[in-house]
Structures are given as structure tokens and as C-alpha cells.
């Protein structure tokens, strides 16, 4: 069974790179380009993992994570940011995120984190299943 992940990022290049990599790794990936769309996608798809960019227009990733936590959704929430100040802010907040990744995301490092969370094996993206 493939795990569903939601990735929300207003940077289309980052969104595409991460979603394509995770899709090749065997995840069902749903995307959003802002916080409001992320909340819509979360309620529609109930993903296992939600990755949120800290700096997005409208509701930022921290506010979206806080809203998800208040909905009592059991997804694993990850924040990501390219801004050093936002990185520290994301680490210090109590929005329910379990990890913060600096952008650009080191995709193998992300996979090392996601595999045990989603119960996947050590297969690399693109390996035959």
C-alpha cells in the first residue's frame, strides 16, 4: 500500500522536484501551492505525511500545521524553509511539526526520515518493486 503525502510549497520548482522524487519512491503525492489549498487537500485526501513550506502566501506553513493539529488529524507534519530565521522560528514553534528541513531539501535525507514513518523498505526511488 502506497502512503499518501501532501506537499505544500509556493515555489513550483521545489514542489515539482520533491513531488516527482517521492512519487518515484512509491508515494502517492498530492500538492498544494499555498496554505489554504493545503488545508483543502488535507481534508480531501487525509495524507499520512504533510510537508509545509514555512513561507507561503496566505496562511504560512506554521499556521497550517497548527490548524491541522487543532483538527486532531493524525498526520505527521514536516516544515521546510530556505530562510535561516524562519528555520529557527519553525523549530521553536509548537504547531505540531515533528521535523524541520532546510531548503533545498536533501532528498536522500528526507527519504531516510520518511521510510520508517511510512513503513517503507530501503529501496531507492526508481527501483523496481
Amino acid at each position: 500500500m502506497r502512503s499518501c503525502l501532501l506537499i505544500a510549497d509556493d515555489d513550483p520548482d521545489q514542489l515539482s522536484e520533491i513531488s516527482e522524487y517521492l512519487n518515484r519512491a512509491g508515494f502517492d503525492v498530492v500538492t498544494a501551492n499555498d496554505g489554504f489549498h493545503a488545508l483543502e487537500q488535507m481534508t480531501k485526501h487525509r495524507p499520512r505525511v504533510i510537508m509545509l513550506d514555512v513561507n507561503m502566501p496566505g496562511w504560512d506553513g506554521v499556521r497550517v500545521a497548527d490548524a491541522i493539529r487543532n483538527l486532531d488529524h493524525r498526520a505527521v507534519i514536516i516544515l521546510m524553509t530556505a530562510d535561516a530565521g524562519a528555520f529557527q522560528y519553525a523549530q521553536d514553534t509548537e504547531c505540531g511539526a515533528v521535523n524541520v528541513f532546510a531548503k533545498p531539501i536533501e532528498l536522500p535525507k528526507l527519504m531516510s526520515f520518511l521510510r520508517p514513518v511510512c513503513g517503507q523498505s530501503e529501496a531507492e526511488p526508481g527501483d523496481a518493486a
Side-chain angles (χ1 to χ4, degrees):
M1 182 172 166
R2 292 168 58 108
S3 295
C4 182
L5 279 85
L6 167 62
I7 306 167
D9 195 329
D10 62 321
D11 179 335
D13 293 332
Q14 285 285 309
L15 189 61
S16 176
E17 178 184 5
I18 297 168
S19 63
E20 288 174 14
Y21 182 86
L22 294 176
N23 200 317
R24 285 192 316 271
F27 294 96
D28 289 326
V29 179
V30 178
T31 62
N33 59 5
D34 64 37
F36 295 118
H37 190 216
L39 284 172
E40 288 175 358
Q41 295 287 61
M42 188 277 300
T43 57
K44 181 177 178 182
H45 296 281
R46 294 291 190 199
R48 173 75 181 107
V49 176
I50 301 173
M51 296 180 61
L52 303 166
D53 183 16
V54 173
N55 295 319
M56 290 187 289
W59 280 22
D60 67 18
V62 171
R63 189 169 181 190
V64 173
D66 198 41
I68 291 168
R69 183 185 63 172
N70 288 332
L71 292 171
D72 195 31
H73 187 67
R74 293 182 175 14
V76 174
I77 301 170
I78 300 168
L79 296 174
M80 54 187 174
T81 185
D83 180 290
F87 186 87
Q88 190 60 49
Y89 164 65
Q91 285 186 318
D92 293 343
T93 188
E94 294 189 22
C95 65
V98 298
N99 206 339
V100 182
F101 282 89
K103 290 169 49 177
I105 302 285
E106 294 179 40
L107 297 173
K109 184 177 177 181
L110 175 62
M111 279 304 299
S112 292
F113 177 81
L114 290 175
R115 280 187 192 112
V117 168
C118 297
Q120 285 200 344
S121 70
E122 293 295 317
E124 289 297 318
D127 286 353

